[in-house]
């Protein structure tokens, strides 16, 4: 039987364990030590996507004990050693190597009267940008669309919630996270009085009619507040009413080469910042505007105007600043609109902290 080595939390001795063990009693000091693994953390965090399971306390076979150096796998009389089997999740998490993770979510709402035609194209385009051009490991990019065969990769409310938790899981200094959403957005009355305009912004999962939307308060708590110092999150949200959908404290208002940060914080509301990291969100429009789709870039495939303008700007200007990116998007979107549209769509930048947008370089 193959084994792995861990250290006892009580005395520091090395313990030889079966590969599936997540806890063991030390042969010397009798302390019980847990060994959280990536599979265990995934099962705990993603319990909703796993089949029912139980932690099984199993007596170690007589010829296998959690032994120290020199003892190996030999029996030790009178020991009550045990290990705990890992729970087996229904599907395995993408491995996290390197410091880049991304969640790309595109909802088309097939067979409804509010179906969108460009959301999946947005996700495919964003995947190409991140993986082929910006070096994100493909195994660290989770995609949720209605084209996926895995039922846990369909953009339902529960699956989006689960994937957002995965995105922020075990975030460390130096990590770069991306959350891209393309789909419908909405607004609803703010009941906890933490919004200046009196409305919570939302994203609409595939099953939002029965399960409800995901509100900005939850998005903020899930992927913004856990960010540690040295980590960064970029959100690209292509939906209506999305200006403050991450509930970040500051919104940038820009006019030509001039800009100002507007403080969205309410003194009596809960904290909406990070745990030391920086979170930034590019949104398709302000909280009271709608967003549009276009086929102007490809001439055939429909994509979100915001997603397309974002990708084109990043491709065309490799060393652009946040201010230049926001300006390029704002200049491009009107030219992508059909001539007969009266939609006014102004892309927004919000952040967990203020900075000079014309000197800070945009880096994913």
């Amino acid at each position: 039987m193959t084994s792995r080595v861990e250290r006892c939390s009580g005395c520091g001795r090395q313990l030889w364990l079966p590969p599936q063990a997540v806890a063991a009693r030390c042969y010397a000091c009798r302390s019980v030590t847990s060994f959280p693994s990536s599979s265990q953390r995934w099962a705990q965090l993603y319990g909703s996507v796993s089949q029912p399971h139980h932690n099984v306390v199993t007596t170690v076979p007589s010829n296998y004990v959690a032994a120290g150096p020199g003892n190996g796998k030999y029996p030790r009389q009178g020991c009550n050693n045990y290990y705990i089997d890992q729970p087996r999740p229904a599907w395995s998490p993408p491995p996290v190597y390197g410091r880049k993770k991304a969640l790309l979510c595109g909802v088309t709402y097939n067979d409804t009267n509010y179906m969108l035609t460009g959301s999946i194209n947005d996700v495919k385009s964003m995947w190409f940008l991140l993986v082929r051009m910006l070096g994100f490991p493909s195994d660290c990019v989770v995609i949720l669309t209605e084209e996926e065969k895995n039922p846990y990769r369909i953009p339902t409310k529960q699956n989006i919630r689960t994937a957002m938790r995965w995105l922020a899981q075990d975030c460390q200094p130096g990590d770069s996270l991306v959350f891209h959403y393309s789909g419908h957005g909405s607004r609803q009355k703010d009941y906890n009085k933490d919004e200046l305009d009196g409305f919570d912004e939302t994203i609409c999962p595939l099953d939002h009619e029965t399960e409800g939307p995901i509100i900005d308060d939850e998005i903020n708590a899930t992927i913004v507040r856990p960010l540690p110092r040295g980590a960064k999150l970029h959100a690209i949200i292509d939906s209506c009413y999305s200006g403050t959908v991450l509930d970040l404290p500051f919104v940038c208002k820009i006019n030509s080469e001039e800009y100002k940060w507007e403080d969205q914080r309410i003194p009596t509301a809960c904290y909406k910042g990070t745990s030391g990291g920086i979170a930034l969100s590019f949104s398709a429009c302000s909280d009271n505007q709608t967003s549009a789709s276009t086929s102007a870039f490809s001439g055939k495939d429909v994509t979100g105007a915001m997603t397309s303008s974002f990708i084109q700007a990043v491709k065309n200007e490799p060393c652009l600043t946040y201010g230049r990116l926001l300006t390029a998007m704002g200049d491009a979107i009107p030219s992508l609109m059909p001539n007969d549209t009266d939609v006014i769509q102004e892309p927004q930048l919000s952040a967990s902290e203020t900075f000079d947008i014309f000197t800070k370089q945009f880096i994913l």
Side-chain angles (χ1 to χ4, degrees):
M1 179 188 288
T2 59
S3 63
R4 76 177 197 270
V5 179
E6 300 282 2
R7 286 198 176 274
C8 172
S9 61
C11 63
R13 285 179 168 81
Q14 289 185 329
L15 306 177
W16 271 259
L17 302 169
Q20 73 270 27
V22 295
R25 185 189 298 275
C26 177
Y27 73 99
C29 72
R30 318 304 294 157
S31 297
V32 176
T33 306
S34 296
F35 311 107
S37 65
S38 59
S39 296
Q40 183 189 29
R41 286 193 297 266
W42 177 266
Q44 292 169 345
L45 191 58
Y46 280 63
S48 59
V49 300
S50 302
Q51 297 297 329
H53 59 262
H54 303 279
N55 287 349
V56 181
V57 178
T58 307
T59 302
V60 176
S62 59
N63 65 343
Y64 197 109
V65 297
N71 293 322
K73 302 176 186 176
Y74 295 104
R76 183 176 181 85
Q77 298 299 322
C79 283
N80 240 349
N81 298 293
Y82 65 84
Y83 64 87
I84 302 176
D85 279 335
Q86 293 185 29
R88 271 66 168 185
W91 61 293
S92 299
V96 180
Y97 51 85
R99 294 189 173 277
K100 295 176 182 284
K101 296 169 68 176
L103 168 60
L104 313 180
C105 180
V107 195
T108 55
Y109 315 94
N110 288 330
D111 302 321
T112 67
N113 58 7
Y114 48 86
M115 178 179 173
L116 297 175
T117 54
S119 300
I120 288 182
N121 294 330
D122 287 344
V123 165
K124 292 177 179 178
S125 298
M126 189 63 67
W127 182 93
F128 186 89
L129 175 71
L130 296 178
V131 175
R132 299 297 187 212
M133 300 188 65
L134 300 179
F136 276 66
S138 59
D139 286 342
C140 292
V141 179
V142 167
I143 292 177
L144 303 183
T145 71
E146 286 146 271
E147 285 187 346
E148 296 295 314
K149 304 302 182 185
N150 188 323
Y152 303 118
R153 300 296 181 93
I154 304 298
T156 63
K157 183 175 183 176
Q158 186 57 54
N159 287 347
I160 295 175
R161 281 174 158 175
T162 300
M164 287 195 300
R165 291 196 295 270
W166 166 82
L167 184 65
Q169 176 192 4
D170 296 333
C171 184
Q172 301 294 324
D175 288 357
S176 176
L177 313 180
V178 172
F179 174 47
H180 174 236
Y181 171 83
S182 178
H184 282 303
S186 186
R187 309 172 82 194
Q188 66 181 41
K189 185 177 179 180
D190 168 34
Y191 291 100
N192 58 355
K193 302 187 184 302
D194 63 351
E195 298 280 354
L196 290 176
D197 61 0
F199 291 93
D200 281 320
E201 286 66 48
T202 75
I203 59 175
C204 299
L206 178 61
D207 55 353
H208 69 97
E209 287 190 344
T210 57
E211 301 302 319
I214 300 176
I215 68 171
D216 50 10
D217 295 344
E218 179 178 352
I219 298 172
N220 180 279
T222 306
I223 63 175
V224 173
R225 267 178 270 176
L227 284 175
R229 186 173 302 278
K232 61 183 175 181
L233 164 72
H234 286 89
I236 302 98
I237 310 295
D238 199 345
S239 65
C240 299
Y241 315 112
S242 55
T244 61
V245 76
L246 260 68
D247 249 4
L248 297 174
F250 303 100
V251 173
C252 183
K253 297 297 183 181
I254 186 171
N255 182 13
S256 184
E257 294 299 312
E258 298 182 356
Y259 72 93
K260 65 177 181 178
W261 288 99
E262 293 185 353
D263 194 338
Q264 303 292 302
R265 294 173 295 180
I266 295 177
T268 57
C270 66
Y271 179 68
K272 293 300 182 74
T274 69
S275 296
I278 181 169
L280 308 108
S281 177
F282 287 94
S283 302
C285 56
S286 65
D287 286 342
N288 60 358
Q289 294 177 339
T290 57
S291 60
S293 298
T294 180
S295 59
F297 275 116
S298 68
K300 181 178 64 173
D301 294 331
V302 176
T303 58
M306 182 269 185
T307 298
S308 296
S309 64
F310 175 88
I311 291 174
Q312 286 300 116
V314 174
K315 285 182 176 180
N316 293 340
E317 301 181 48
C319 297
L320 77 176
T321 63
Y322 284 90
R324 175 58 195 149
L325 175 54
L326 188 61
T327 302
M329 293 168 60
D331 292 342
I333 287 178
S335 66
L336 302 175
M337 299 294 188
N339 294 330
D340 58 349
T341 185
D342 57 355
V343 172
I344 298 176
Q345 181 178 341
E346 299 167 321
Q348 303 285 300
L349 171 64
S350 58
S352 57
E353 60 187 54
T354 62
F355 56 90
D356 186 342
I357 65 171
F358 289 112
T359 60
K360 187 178 181 67
Q361 186 176 354
F362 169 78
I363 301 175
L364 282 180

